[in-house]
Amino acid sequence: MTDISYVRKEMAPSQPAPASTVGPVAWARKNLFASIPDTILTLVSLWLIWLLVPPLIEFAFVNAVWSGENREACIGQDGACWAYVKAYLPQFIYGRYPDPERWRVNLTFLLFFGGLIPMMIPSVPFKRENVIYMLVVFPTVALVLLTGGNMDFNGFLLPDTVIAPSMLKFWVDYAILTAIVMAAAAGIAKASQSRAAPAAISVLVIFGVLAAIMVVLEIDFGLRPVPTELWGGLLVTLVIAVTGIAVSLPLGVALALGRRSKMPIVRLVSIIFIEFWRGVPLITVLFMSSVMLPLFVPENLTIDKLLRALIGVALFAAAYMAEVIRGGLQAIPKGQYEGAQALGLTYWQMMYHIILPQALKLVIPGIVNTFIGLFKDTTLVLIIGLFDLLGQVQSSFTDPNWSSPYQSHTGYLFAATIFWIFCFGMSRYSVWTERRLDTGHKKR
Amino acid sequence: MAIQETARTPDKASVLNDPKVRGWIYQIVVVALIVWFGWEIITNTAENLKARNIAGGFGFLNINAGFGITQSLITYSELSSYGRALVVGLLNTLLVAGLGVFFATIFGFLIGVARLSNNWLISRIATVYVEVLRNIPLLLQIFFWYFAVLRAVPNPRDSIALPGDVFLNNRGLFTPRVIFEEGSGLIGWSVLAAIVVWIGIYFWARRRQEATGQQFPVFLSGLGLLIVLPILAWLVTGMPLSLETPELRGFNFVGGTRIIPEFVGLLLALSAYTAAFIAEIVRAGIMAVSHGQTEAAHALGLRNGPTLRLVIIPQALRVIIPPLTSQYLNLTKNSSLAVAIAYPDLVSVGGTVLNQTGQAVEVIGIWMAVYLSISVLTSMFMNWYNSHIALVER
């Protein structure tokens, strides 16, 4: 018997994985050619890609015409006519906005993205100031910049015989209105045994901010007024989309809360409002706002065409938003409501501090989907004669200067790319936010 | 020490702090606002209509329309009334919406399943399809199909000939038409009979399977019946069917059925666009069924096909049906975009009527009523179906 034994001191070096399980060949065998039907599918997909992708690249890049003065450059070429897009680019962005005034649009875009980008990056400080800027300062400045400001306000309260309609009358009326609302707020506060002063002061602050905005709007900055008929292109698309988003979110929250309210009449009104707008197509809403809205208001009041479309789009989007938010409200466990009430919070405190933050976080994907839908739906305004980006592209086809066989393909490709970038960007941002806000309570 | 017991007495609290009283005050304010708002609108509208010399009411529906419609499922001429024109528009809307729902569902299911495929290439193609199509406005897609594709095809003289005597040119899609000659009624009845027998077989087979466990190929036998019976009827009655193929005469095609390019473009765009959304719904639905279900089905010895058909899909449908319903409704509402390419749907025809008569309130009222009814009917049907397949919790 020999006492030789051998005990290994270190781990045996690990063998490389079998050649059939690693590397591109194994990957292809697993993911592309796993079985005979799989192989057939792969070949069919390859054929599809071969059918679509090379011609598209050839059309958009290889055979494309990049520069030229008019249609001569593009005729006879078998590719996209980018020269036409280049020539029409200012129209696609500004519409018929007068040339020397276009810096105002550019400045508005700059101010918008300058406020939006820091707001979208979570690590940038001053979020509260940023929100105030986006919701109060920017809209005012943008309105002045885009329309030219210098608006006229006429009175609305006192009969014309007391003071002739003028700027003075407006401010007198406004002061009276402020006083009435302040008195009402103070009275209600007093009757319900809380202090009257804070209620009156908060009313005064709100009216003061509104007054400041209106003062800015009526100052003559010497900007040439640009009527909205001249607006067009991406400008109109963004104006409608951004206003629609900004109006529909708070309105949607209000409607969703109304629909879940315990007050029967409020609930009924909310349900009817939501279901009505959700049941009809946006086109009929736009027709209604463009044809019927002028009938609804007194004859001497004319509402701007763009504003009419804005009202229609915002109400329409608000109904969809309300349903999305209601889904979030329903997903919050009852214990959260009961806990908040047990702490003695009022209804609004409970909603603002406890329920809405959780509910809105839950439905971020739905909210962003509504935004994306709204952004895509802005194209419909071309049917009622407004020229958004697609409307401008469509109307440019009538220009004989640039008419060529592939003009429409090029125009649609350009518009589709722009819309796609915006929508896809929004959806990616929502996925990212969802992941960032995920506190791990979700069921996996 | 005297304890102050009078510090809190309930009767001192203001009535305004009672939630019930507050609730009623809020509601009264809401009602007052709505009534005031409605009153303002009604009086203003009445005044404005009077100022424009437009008489209200639906009397205009009986007046001669005087305009032609390029596609109508019922007889319609320029001498028909506005009311009939609107009915033609409604039928066209229903036609394009119905076919759109059909195609979008098929494409959507295919693409949704393809996104979950183990085949890398197929799932990537499906992903690209979904991400591209759903992020581009529908109107742009309609314009693309109509103006860039269907309007750009050659004129009738150089039509693109598709297999089966189908021709595509800028006047539309021309397909052969089946002409029913005398005695062809039996064929229709035989189709009906085949369907009835199919349903009968379905119930009989289900009862037999419950009783004995034996399966019966219901689908194949039913399909066989549906093919064999009409052919038999066709032979027995002496082949009364004939095909009328479209022929080029002069500058246009004569004979056959002409499908107008507006319809083809709208249908293509609606189906392709909605399919992208349905694909996402289907994917989410299938992913919502836990993997354990598949494993359990495999452990019971079910093959891939029956696993999908008998275990996964029935459970996935519960998740799929509610959002699918809203997609169907979206498609129906989106079909109103037809007005942009002048496909004569309800909105497009209604727009013409509105322009000719100036009866804005009535026409828009009809639109809203029709679309609201379609919405309500569809969601009622889908709710019924949903409750039919919903999980019965014990």
Side-chain angles (χ1 to χ4, degrees):
Chain A
M1 290 285 285
T2 48
D3 282 32
I4 298 168
S5 63
Y6 179 73
V7 177
R8 197 170 186 137
K9 292 272 173 43
E10 66 279 329
M11 295 291 283
S14 53
Q15 297 276 319
S20 62
T21 60
V22 289
V25 176
W27 180 88
R29 280 185 67 155
K30 184 165 170 283
N31 290 307
L32 298 178
F33 307 105
S35 60
I36 292 168
D38 218 19
T39 308
I40 295 171
L41 276 180
T42 304
L43 292 179
V44 170
S45 343
L46 281 176
W47 177 71
L48 265 180
I49 293 173
W50 174 249
L51 217 60
L52 287 174
V53 176
L56 187 67
I57 291 175
E58 242 169 54
F59 175 79
F61 301 107
V62 179
N63 293 339
V65 179
W66 297 91
S67 60
E69 289 304 308
N70 54 32
R71 63 197 290 259
E72 302 296 327
C74 294
I75 277 189
Q77 296 293 326
D78 219 15
C81 183
W82 294 119
Y84 138 77
V85 172
K86 214 194 254 172
Y88 260 94
L89 198 58
Q91 289 223 30
F92 292 162
I93 296 177
Y94 309 104
R96 291 190 295 135
Y97 209 88
D99 212 4
E101 309 293 330
R102 283 181 182 163
W103 63 269
R104 284 153 55 178
V105 181
N106 289 337
L107 187 59
T108 312
F109 283 161
L110 200 70
L111 288 173
F112 175 66
F113 288 109
L116 187 70
I117 290 168
M119 204 159 83
M120 284 169 56
I121 303 172
S123 57
V124 175
F126 305 118
K127 280 283 179 286
R128 178 187 292 262
E129 287 77 1
N130 209 329
V131 169
I132 293 175
Y133 166 77
M134 283 305 275
L135 290 182
V136 181
V137 181
F138 170 72
T140 318
V141 175
L143 196 56
V144 170
L145 274 175
L146 292 179
T147 61
N150 194 13
M151 295 187 184
D152 289 325
F153 296 111
N154 289 319
F156 51 91
L157 207 62
L158 296 171
D160 288 348
T161 43
V162 181
I163 313 175
S166 65
M167 196 64 83
L168 179 72
K169 177 173 183 302
F170 173 78
W171 288 115
V172 170
D173 285 352
Y174 192 76
I176 294 172
L177 185 71
T178 312
I180 292 173
V181 177
M182 265 173 79
I188 290 170
K190 198 144 197 182
S192 59
Q193 291 175 339
S194 48
R195 294 196 352 263
I201 288 173
S202 50
V203 168
L204 189 65
V205 168
I206 293 170
F207 274 78
V209 171
L210 286 178
I213 291 173
M214 283 187 283
V215 167
V216 174
L217 290 183
E218 70 176 21
I219 291 176
D220 185 3
F221 288 99
L223 294 171
R224 200 176 120 202
V226 181
T228 54
E229 288 87 64
L230 296 181
W231 302 14
L234 195 61
L235 171 65
V236 162
T237 299
L238 285 178
V239 164
I240 296 174
V242 171
T243 325
I245 287 170
V247 175
S248 69
L249 192 58
L251 206 56
V253 171
L255 283 169
L257 291 179
R259 194 168 180 170
R260 283 176 59 80
S261 158
K262 289 198 181 67
M263 297 182 263
I265 295 173
V266 172
R267 194 171 60 229
L268 188 69
V269 169
S270 308
I271 290 177
I272 292 175
F273 186 92
I274 292 171
E275 293 306 329
F276 176 76
W277 292 111
R278 273 163 45 90
V280 298
L282 180 56
I283 294 218
T284 57
V285 173
L286 287 174
F287 266 114
M288 187 168 107
S289 59
S290 76
V291 181
M292 264 163 87
L293 207 59
L295 293 178
F296 287 165
V297 296
E299 219 172 335
N300 49 7
L301 189 68
T302 51
I303 307 178
D304 187 82
K305 202 171 176 184
L306 182 66
L307 187 62
R308 279 184 267 168
L310 273 178
I311 294 172
V313 168
L315 291 179
F316 185 79
Y320 281 84
M321 194 65 82
E323 283 301 272
V324 169
I325 292 167
R326 186 169 71 106
L329 292 175
Q330 278 175 342
I332 305 297
K334 216 171 169 225
Q336 295 289 325
Y337 291 87
E338 289 164 351
Q341 279 161 355
L343 286 173
L345 300 184
T346 65
Y347 177 81
W348 292 109
Q349 283 171 333
M350 170 175 83
M351 282 302 164
Y352 183 74
H353 292 292
I354 312 283
I355 305 299
L356 280 178
Q358 301 184 66
L360 291 181
K361 194 182 83 182
L362 272 182
V363 291
I364 287 176
I367 292 176
V368 176
N369 275 343
T370 316
F371 285 170
I372 294 175
L374 174 64
F375 193 82
K376 285 185 293 183
D377 281 345
T378 55
T379 50
L380 266 60
V381 297
L382 80 90
I383 292 170
I384 56 163
L386 286 169
F387 289 98
D388 75 318
L389 176 58
L390 184 57
Q392 286 291 348
V393 171
Q394 188 74 11
S395 71
S396 72
F397 297 154
T398 52
D399 180 6
N401 236 347
W402 279 104
S403 102
S404 65
Y406 289 110
Q407 186 196 15
S408 65
H409 298 68
T410 313
Y412 291 139
L413 187 61
F414 171 76
T417 314
I418 301 283
F419 277 109
W420 189 83
I421 289 170
F422 272 97
C423 296
F424 190 68
M426 276 195 263
S427 82
R428 286 296 101 179
Y429 181 73
S430 102
V431 170
W432 179 75
T433 317
E434 203 187 337
R435 235 177 259 155
R436 191 174 65 80
L437 292 178
D438 187 7
T439 38
H441 298 312
K442 238 196 298 187
K443 203 167 53 172
R444 253 170 238 285
Chain B
M1 288 262 292
I3 297 166
Q4 282 192 324
E5 284 186 331
T6 52
R8 273 165 183 257
T9 45
D11 57 342
K12 250 186 103 180
S14 159
V15 195
L16 279 179
N17 280 341
D18 184 348
K20 263 190 192 156
V21 176
R22 277 196 180 203
W24 281 111
I25 293 177
Y26 288 140
Q27 300 196 63
I28 289 166
V29 171
V30 167
V31 170
L33 277 177
I34 289 172
V35 168
W36 171 75
F37 196 66
W39 175 252
E40 276 288 297
I41 284 180
I42 290 169
T43 49
N44 281 332
T45 310
E47 242 169 63
N48 285 325
L49 286 179
K50 205 191 270 173
R52 289 172 206 194
N53 272 330
I54 299 172
F58 289 92
F60 72 98
L61 288 178
N62 296 322
I63 302 173
N64 267 359
F67 61 89
I69 296 180
T70 47
Q71 174 191 314
S72 76
L73 297 174
I74 53 177
T75 47
Y76 173 85
S77 72
E78 289 172 18
L79 299 173
S80 305
S81 65
Y82 282 123
R84 196 167 178 86
L86 288 173
V87 172
V88 169
L90 172 62
L91 290 176
N92 284 339
T93 293
L94 293 178
L95 178 71
V96 79
L99 285 175
V101 162
F102 176 74
F103 288 120
T105 311
I106 293 177
F107 287 143
F109 268 77
L110 281 179
I111 293 159
V113 172
R115 269 198 89 171
L116 292 169
S117 162
N118 288 328
N119 188 316
W120 184 84
L121 211 52
I122 286 279
S123 75
R124 281 313 119 106
I125 289 177
T127 309
V128 169
Y129 176 89
V130 169
E131 290 297 349
V132 168
L133 269 276
R134 70 171 181 174
N135 281 322
I136 293 175
L138 175 61
L139 190 58
L140 180 49
Q141 298 188 29
I142 292 176
F143 279 169
F144 171 76
W145 285 113
Y146 181 62
F147 289 112
V149 176
L150 291 171
R151 277 305 197 65
V153 295
N155 58 19
R157 280 177 165 273
D158 326 285
S159 295
I160 302 169
L162 300 169
D165 277 333
V166 177
F167 297 95
L168 180 67
N169 57 49
N170 58 9
R171 303 273 178 88
L173 190 69
F174 291 83
T175 60
R177 185 170 60 184
V178 182
I179 294 181
F180 293 93
E181 287 157 23
E182 210 160 313
S184 58
L186 194 64
I187 298 174
W189 288 111
S190 68
V191 170
L192 205 68
I195 292 172
V196 169
V197 175
W198 190 344
I199 295 171
I201 291 177
Y202 170 75
F203 282 109
W204 168 78
R206 211 167 64 168
R207 214 172 305 141
R208 195 181 74 147
Q209 194 183 350
E210 273 169 15
T212 65
Q214 283 175 301
Q215 286 185 332
F216 187 81
V218 176
F219 181 75
L220 283 179
S221 54
L223 202 67
L225 272 177
L226 200 60
I227 294 169
V228 171
L229 271 186
I231 289 181
L232 271 180
W234 178 58
L235 289 173
V236 165
T237 51
M239 302 188 249
L241 292 191
S242 61
L243 274 184
E244 186 193 64
T245 51
E247 269 173 63
L248 187 66
R249 294 247 185 87
F251 290 105
N252 206 351
F253 276 86
V254 177
T257 306
R258 171 177 173 236
I259 304 172
I260 55 173
E262 289 84 6
F263 178 79
V264 180
L266 187 66
L267 187 61
L268 271 171
L270 278 176
S271 317
Y273 180 76
T274 315
F277 288 88
I278 292 180
E280 279 301 273
I281 292 169
V282 169
R283 184 174 78 109
I286 292 177
M287 282 190 10
V289 180
S290 84
H291 195 58
Q293 296 286 329
T294 317
E295 287 170 351
H298 284 171
L300 286 174
L302 287 153
R303 278 174 287 115
N304 272 331
T307 303
L308 202 65
R309 203 160 38 105
L310 300 172
V311 179
I312 307 299
I313 300 254
Q315 298 188 66
L317 272 185
R318 293 192 185 116
V319 183
I320 290 173
I321 293 290
L324 194 63
T325 313
S326 61
Q327 282 310 321
Y328 287 171
L329 289 177
N330 278 348
L331 190 147
T332 311
K333 285 182 276 171
N334 282 337
S335 71
S336 59
L337 292 181
V339 67
I341 54 169
Y343 169 72
D345 81 321
L346 180 67
V347 172
S348 178
V349 172
T352 316
V353 174
L354 195 158
N355 282 338
Q356 289 194 2
T357 60
Q359 307 276 1
V361 180
E362 288 82 359
V363 169
I364 291 176
I366 291 173
W367 284 344
M368 303 244 165
V370 166
Y371 282 106
L372 280 175
S373 325
I374 293 176
S375 293
V376 169
L377 285 179
T378 311
S379 42
M380 264 164 63
F381 172 73
M382 291 311 255
N383 282 343
W384 168 80
Y385 182 65
N386 196 26
S387 65
H388 185 67
I389 62 161
L391 194 62
V392 182
E393 292 195 37
R394 293 186 178 90

